[in-house]
Amino acid sequence: MFPTSSGTPQGGIISPLLANMTLDGLQREVESRFLNARHKPRYRVIRYADDFIVTGASKEGLEQEVLPVIKAFLAERGLELSQDKTQITHISTGFDFLGQNVRKYRNKLLIKPARKNLHAFLRNIRQTVSNLKQAKTESVIDILNPKILGWANYHRHIVSKKVFTYVDHEIFQALWRWAKRRHPNQGAKWIRRKYFRRIGKRNWIFAIDVKDETGKSCLKTLRHAADVKIRRHCKIRREAHPFDPQFNQYFQQRRLQTLQWLPVSQKET
């Protein structure tokens, strides 16, 4: 909408690349400075583009040792830490990182979707449904399905099954309000028969009859977040590189493993 003559556009694909180039070396700077008696790092840095966390055994060490090193590293590159987003917290209290909450519950580490991320997603879904007051049922399904599956697939590697069920409930409520608003003079049973179906043993499936490319009638349904299976993330080898021939077999095995998790329709495509 507005031409950009300088700077980096917000959310542009070049932004994380520039962040990786600028902050490259932060991990080595912190971990190499502070070693224990076994010559292993006392602090660990985990970074994704311009977001990063530093783990350590004490709050004092992070404040007095690590924080000055990070500030000096950023100042040399013309950057500074965000005061609003920077905090030092205990793992039992937890913290949000990349839309997920990391916290220990009775010495058990659990990673769940962050509340801010969850509320933002549901707010977007409700706003989307509200903006589709006059849209066809088929269009509503086509717009919502990528949003639901995209969000669920992002969180499918963590403890999120209960959250997925809650998300499906909230989406149903939004669609029920949408249907009632379209037909204020109709009863609940009529609305249910028009917009919701029974498929197998499941009731209240938001669906519509459509015709495929061959003209054959088929049922288009709204996808559910709870249908996305929880798959624990398999961490990639640190030294592996997709452009290094010696790791060709390794990446081929990873791709085969990923294909085993996909539905048959996605495998064929």
Side-chain angles (χ1 to χ4, degrees):
M1 298 299 293
F2 303 97
T4 302
S5 57
S6 63
T8 304
Q10 180 69 26
I13 194 171
I14 193 67
S15 181
L17 175 61
L18 293 175
N20 283 329
M21 293 172 61
T22 305
L23 298 180
D24 183 47
L26 177 62
Q27 181 177 358
R28 292 191 300 270
E29 183 73 14
V30 173
E31 295 183 358
S32 62
R33 276 177 173 262
F34 308 103
L35 303 176
N36 57 23
R38 297 181 179 179
H39 299 284
K40 292 185 178 181
R42 293 162 51 202
Y43 305 100
R44 293 290 185 178
V45 179
I46 301 94
R47 183 174 66 84
Y48 185 88
D50 61 340
D51 291 323
F52 62 89
I53 59 175
V54 183
T55 61
S58 67
K59 180 180 180 180
E60 294 75 15
L62 293 172
E63 288 179 337
Q64 300 173 11
E65 296 181 341
V66 178
L67 201 56
V69 173
I70 294 177
K71 288 182 177 180
F73 181 90
L74 296 178
E76 186 178 355
R77 290 154 177 78
L79 302 173
E80 61 181 10
L81 286 175
S82 171
Q83 298 297 327
D84 297 332
K85 298 181 180 180
T86 303
Q87 61 175 334
I88 299 178
T89 182
H90 195 270
I91 190 63
S92 60
T93 304
F95 60 89
D96 292 345
F97 185 60
L98 303 178
Q100 299 175 346
N101 181 263
V102 183
R103 181 180 173 184
K104 264 192 175 182
Y105 299 82
R106 297 180 180 178
N107 294 325
K108 185 176 182 179
L109 179 66
L110 297 180
I111 305 177
K112 304 178 181 180
R115 287 188 177 182
K116 290 183 179 180
N117 181 273
L118 171 62
H119 293 163
F121 170 71
L122 290 177
R123 186 163 55 249
N124 177 268
I125 291 292
R126 295 185 186 110
Q127 186 62 47
T128 300
V129 173
S130 178
N131 293 339
L132 298 173
K133 294 183 179 68
Q134 305 302 325
K136 296 181 180 180
T137 305
E138 181 181 356
S139 300
V140 175
I141 294 175
D142 288 338
I143 293 174
L144 291 183
N145 274 347
K147 293 178 178 288
I148 297 171
L149 292 180
W151 185 84
N153 281 327
Y154 179 78
H155 294 289
R156 68 191 177 111
H157 299 295
I158 59 175
V159 183
S160 50
K161 200 63 178 180
K162 289 184 179 180
V163 178
F164 285 174
T165 303
Y166 171 74
V167 163
D168 289 336
H169 171 74
E170 291 299 312
I171 294 176
F172 166 79
Q173 294 294 336
L175 291 173
W176 181 252
R177 291 191 295 267
W178 172 85
K180 290 180 65 177
R181 187 168 52 242
R182 287 168 66 96
H183 307 281
N185 298 325
Q186 298 292 343
K189 290 184 178 180
W190 185 93
I191 295 175
R192 176 182 179 180
R193 287 195 300 268
K194 181 174 179 61
Y195 293 105
F196 298 91
R197 307 294 178 88
R198 176 184 175 87
I199 301 177
K201 296 182 180 180
R202 300 180 65 173
N203 291 316
W204 295 94
I205 305 296
F206 190 73
I208 186 68
D209 289 313
V210 297
K211 293 185 178 180
D212 58 15
E213 298 177 353
T214 61
K216 186 178 180 181
S217 179
C218 60
L219 193 65
K220 177 175 286 189
T221 63
L222 184 75
R223 301 296 297 271
H224 290 80
D227 290 339
V228 176
K229 294 183 179 180
I230 303 299
R231 300 286 188 182
R232 295 297 174 235
H233 175 68
C234 181
K235 186 178 179 181
I236 194 170
R237 292 180 186 174
R238 185 174 183 176
E239 68 278 5
H241 197 288
F243 298 104
D244 191 337
Q246 66 173 319
F247 294 106
N248 286 345
Q249 184 178 0
Y250 170 72
F251 281 104
Q252 184 178 3
Q253 291 176 349
R254 286 183 63 91
R255 283 192 293 269
L256 291 175
Q257 185 179 13
T258 303
L259 286 173
Q260 293 176 0
W261 296 347
L262 296 177
V264 175
S265 59
Q266 293 187 19
K267 287 183 182 180
E268 294 174 350
T269 57

